[in-house]
Structure formats: C-alpha cells, structure tokens
Amino acid sequence: MLRLERDLSAPPAIPEAGIAAVETVLRSGWLHRYGETMGDASEASLLEAEFASMLGSRYVVAVNSCGSAMFLALLCTGIKPGDRVLMNAFTLAPVPGAVAHAGAEHVLVEVTPDLVTDLDDLAGKAEASGARHLLLSHMRGHIADMGKLMRLCDRLGITVIEDCAHTMGASWAGRPTGRFGRVGCFSLQAYKHVNAGEGGLLATDDPDVAARAVLYSGSYMLYGQHRVRPDEATFERWRDVTPNYSLRMSNLVAAAARPQLPLLAERARIWNDRYGRLAVALSALPGLRLPQRPQEEEFVQSSIQFAVSGMRDAQFSAFLERCRARGVYLKWFGAKQAAGYTSVSAQWGFLRDPYTPPATAEVLERLCDMRIPLTLTEAECGTIAAIIGEELARRSEA
Ligand SMILES: Cc1ncc(COP(=O)(O)O)c(C=O)c1O
C-alpha cells in the first residue's frame, strides 16, 4: 500500500549562515540585545532594520513572539481593558490570547468558505458592537480583499492590526500584508516562513506606536540602540509613563532569522509550487473543495486547506485516521476538542461567552489542514493526493 515517507511537520532548516551567526553570538556572550556600550548594531537591531527595508515599513520592533507583537499593537493603538476588538473567528489561539492579554473583549466575525473574513458580517458587527479595532488574521495565508476591507474600516473609523503570522512575503495587489493596517505583526516561530524558533516583529509607520512598543518591550531606556526608531521627542512623550513588560527579542533569535530573509523568495517559490501541484490534484477528487483564490492575492502557501463533504463525524474521523496511518497527517479544525495547533472559538473557554459563529462553524466542520514542508518533493505531492483519493473512496467503510 502506498505510504508517504516524509515528516510533514518538519520546519524549515536553519541555513549555515544562521548557524554561524548564532555561534558568534554565543561565543561573544552578547545574547541580550542591549548593553551600555552596544551601539545600534546588535543582531536584533539589524534584523529590525533589514525587515523594515524589505517590507517598506518605517519602523520594526523585534519582540519575543507574534502573540506579544499583537498584544503590544493593541495597547499602542489605544486599547484599554473592556474595549471591544473585532477578529475573524477562524484563527489560532494566540490571537484571542492577545485580546485577552490586553483585557479587551472579542467580537467574532464570520469567515467565508474561502477562509477569509466576511466583509458584510464585519460591517454589521462593527456597527452593532461599536468596536473600533480589528485584529485581522490572514489565517493560513488566506488574504481577504484588502482594498474593500480597508475602505470599509476607514469609513467606519476602525484601526486595523494585521496578524501576518502566515503571510510573511505575501501581498494583496502588489502591497505586502502588514502594510495595510496601522500595525503588522509577524511570527518567527518554527512553522513560519522564517524559522527562529520563537520571535515576533511589529511593523508600523506610526512613530508613537513604534516608540511605545519599544518601551513596553523593555528597552531599559536604551532605545537609542534601535537602528530604525522614532525621534527623541517621540520617546520623551512615552518614556516615563510606559511600563517595561520584558518582551524583547534575544540576539540569538535575530541571528538565526537574519540570513533567512534573503531566502524568502526562493522558499515562496517552492511552497507555492508544491501547493499548486497539491491543489490541482486534490481539486479533481469528488467531494473535496479548495478555497477559491482571487488574482490579486499573491500568497505564500506553506500549508493547504480543503473541505470534505458527504461524511458523518465517525466516517470523517476514520478517514483522517487512515490518512495519518499512511503518513499523511491531516489536522481537523472542526474537531470536538482543541488539539495540536487547531481549535475553534467555542473551545476558547477563557472568553466570556465562547461560541463559534454559525457560518464559520459550518466552514470549519469538515476543514482539513496539512503542512507543506520545504523538503516535500514534486513526486510526494502526487503520493499525498493519491492516498487522500484512495481514502476518500473508502468513506463508506467507516
Ligand atoms: C494565525 C496565527 N497568528 C498568530 C500566531 C502567533 O505566533 P507566535 O507563536 O509567534 O506567538 C500564530 C502561531 O502559530 C498563528 O498561527
């Protein structure tokens, strides 16, 4: 019986240049990004400058995770405890976690079968709730119509914060994600497009947001060691009234990340090639639907999602089990319990009223998710589609 001999969960390897840079940092002992005599050329400071130039953003602040970047983005754009924050209901736990961390209340917005935020529901929920912040996840790399979304949010006076954990290197109509909202938040966690194990990057053009993020992240008043930074007068406004939350990025993380930035374009080419092959083969299978993707969306697809129809719960679980037994590890967003990087909002018991909005519940009910490791070969894409096809055909055996 055909079996996939590839660990689909393997993260991108750290290039030799990253390993050498990490070793240099370790040997120097300068793991912490600040020091009385440091200057502005620490690994963390250089990463900020390089990422800002790559993205076209005025400022970038390096922190210890994307979750921290989102939390700080909420605080720095004025969220106070009890305020409401709109967020698409299809996302991952760190996103409602950031809202909870800020002491704010979530307002869940529906997603469409194409896995993007439903703009009509967004307009309705914004008006009904009075929320004036949107924490928008480009979840699993799927980008909503950003032209329409920004026009809507501008009209309603909504501040947009983009969660670009899954879209580093991706664009909508030629504009990179993270450049539409007031703040863009990126992740360097192992499964992301740049793998430094952990880490987050907060990008903004707003000097007050940038200065506050630096101070909150814990700069010990050494903010002059940030190569890309707002002017002194901006820091003066905030320096004595901003607590230090110690959410800094370590130089070790930055050293592992920096040499990966120039590799992004080639990684995107490989991921999108494998995604394209899988998408063509899987779309041909009966009862299986992939999200439709508009031309303006220039994605970087390091995972693939598809919905399966016509199976009861037991049949669907058995289908997933059989695929997994043959090496094709599929995750299930609609599973009854949160497990292994998946959950639905009804399972976020820390919310005041955990629930999944109805249209999103339907979308997620039979939604499968599979990682695409950079090492996946063209032939293995065919093997995966064949295994899924065979197991779909056996659906009646459950
Ligand atoms: C959609 C989404 N947003 C944000 C994050 C947070 O990233 P981090 O783990 O760097 O906090 C993740 C992490 O997997 C994610 O999947």
Side-chain angles (χ1 to χ4, degrees), residues 91-98 343 348 350:
T91 186
L92 230 64
V95 182
S343 61
W348 302 336
F350 53 87

mmCIF file of all heavy atoms in Angstrom, residues 91-98 343 348 350:
data_model
loop_
_atom_site.group_PDB
_atom_site.id
_atom_site.type_symbol
_atom_site.label_atom_id
_atom_site.label_comp_id
_atom_site.label_asym_id
_atom_site.label_seq_id
_atom_site.Cartn_x
_atom_site.Cartn_y
_atom_site.Cartn_z
ATOM 1 N N THR A 91 -9.081 31.479 13.343
ATOM 2 C CA THR A 91 -7.711 31.873 13.614
ATOM 3 C C THR A 91 -7.157 30.918 14.661
ATOM 4 O O THR A 91 -7.777 29.908 14.979
ATOM 5 C CB THR A 91 -7.624 33.353 14.061
ATOM 6 O OG1 THR A 91 -6.245 33.708 14.179
ATOM 7 C CG2 THR A 91 -8.319 33.602 15.394
ATOM 8 N N LEU A 92 -5.990 31.257 15.203
ATOM 9 C CA LEU A 92 -5.385 30.362 16.189
ATOM 10 C C LEU A 92 -5.380 31.008 17.570
ATOM 11 O O LEU A 92 -5.440 32.224 17.691
ATOM 12 C CB LEU A 92 -3.966 30.020 15.743
ATOM 13 C CG LEU A 92 -3.658 28.516 15.764
ATOM 14 C CD1 LEU A 92 -4.516 27.770 14.775
ATOM 15 C CD2 LEU A 92 -2.196 28.261 15.469
ATOM 16 N N ALA A 93 -5.249 30.190 18.591
ATOM 17 C CA ALA A 93 -5.394 30.629 19.980
ATOM 18 C C ALA A 93 -4.579 31.864 20.376
ATOM 19 O O ALA A 93 -5.032 32.639 21.223
ATOM 20 C CB ALA A 93 -5.068 29.456 20.901
ATOM 21 N N PRO A 94 -3.364 32.120 19.826
ATOM 22 C CA PRO A 94 -2.635 33.316 20.265
ATOM 23 C C PRO A 94 -3.351 34.622 19.928
ATOM 24 O O PRO A 94 -3.049 35.654 20.535
ATOM 25 C CB PRO A 94 -1.304 33.250 19.501
ATOM 26 C CG PRO A 94 -1.228 31.926 18.874
ATOM 27 C CD PRO A 94 -2.586 31.308 18.876
ATOM 28 N N VAL A 95 -4.288 34.578 18.970
ATOM 29 C CA VAL A 95 -4.965 35.826 18.573
ATOM 30 C C VAL A 95 -6.001 36.236 19.636
ATOM 31 O O VAL A 95 -5.892 37.335 20.193
ATOM 32 C CB VAL A 95 -5.553 35.701 17.152
ATOM 33 C CG1 VAL A 95 -6.214 37.010 16.735
ATOM 34 C CG2 VAL A 95 -4.438 35.318 16.174
ATOM 35 N N PRO A 96 -6.948 35.351 19.990
ATOM 36 C CA PRO A 96 -7.810 35.720 21.128
ATOM 37 C C PRO A 96 -6.981 35.868 22.399
ATOM 38 O O PRO A 96 -7.340 36.625 23.296
ATOM 39 C CB PRO A 96 -8.795 34.548 21.232
ATOM 40 C CG PRO A 96 -8.133 33.417 20.530
ATOM 41 C CD PRO A 96 -7.333 34.043 19.420
ATOM 42 N N GLY A 97 -5.851 35.166 22.457
ATOM 43 C CA GLY A 97 -4.962 35.299 23.623
ATOM 44 C C GLY A 97 -4.431 36.722 23.746
ATOM 45 O O GLY A 97 -4.358 37.273 24.846
ATOM 46 N N ALA A 98 -4.077 37.328 22.631
ATOM 47 C CA ALA A 98 -3.559 38.705 22.659
ATOM 48 C C ALA A 98 -4.658 39.671 23.101
ATOM 49 O O ALA A 98 -4.407 40.618 23.858
ATOM 50 C CB ALA A 98 -3.023 39.091 21.277
ATOM 51 N N SER A 343 -8.081 24.746 16.810
ATOM 52 C CA SER A 343 -9.185 24.911 17.757
ATOM 53 C C SER A 343 -10.236 25.750 17.065
ATOM 54 O O SER A 343 -9.965 26.386 16.051
ATOM 55 C CB SER A 343 -8.713 25.605 19.040
ATOM 56 O OG SER A 343 -8.198 26.890 18.769
ATOM 57 N N TRP A 348 -12.514 28.173 23.221
ATOM 58 C CA TRP A 348 -11.697 29.147 23.954
ATOM 59 C C TRP A 348 -12.437 29.529 25.233
ATOM 60 O O TRP A 348 -13.080 30.572 25.344
ATOM 61 C CB TRP A 348 -11.412 30.382 23.096
ATOM 62 C CG TRP A 348 -10.706 30.058 21.792
ATOM 63 C CD1 TRP A 348 -9.927 28.967 21.531
ATOM 64 C CD2 TRP A 348 -10.735 30.814 20.592
ATOM 65 N NE1 TRP A 348 -9.460 29.007 20.237
ATOM 66 C CE2 TRP A 348 -9.936 30.122 19.640
ATOM 67 C CE3 TRP A 348 -11.340 32.010 20.202
ATOM 68 C CZ2 TRP A 348 -9.747 30.593 18.344
ATOM 69 C CZ3 TRP A 348 -11.141 32.483 18.916
ATOM 70 C CH2 TRP A 348 -10.353 31.777 18.004
ATOM 71 N N PHE A 350 -11.673 30.655 27.917
ATOM 72 C CA PHE A 350 -11.275 31.855 28.652
ATOM 73 C C PHE A 350 -12.068 33.075 28.186
ATOM 74 O O PHE A 350 -12.003 34.134 28.803
ATOM 75 C CB PHE A 350 -9.765 32.110 28.500
ATOM 76 C CG PHE A 350 -9.300 32.144 27.067
ATOM 77 C CD1 PHE A 350 -9.335 33.321 26.351
ATOM 78 C CD2 PHE A 350 -8.847 30.992 26.445
ATOM 79 C CE1 PHE A 350 -8.928 33.358 25.021
ATOM 80 C CE2 PHE A 350 -8.436 31.019 25.123
ATOM 81 C CZ PHE A 350 -8.479 32.211 24.408
#
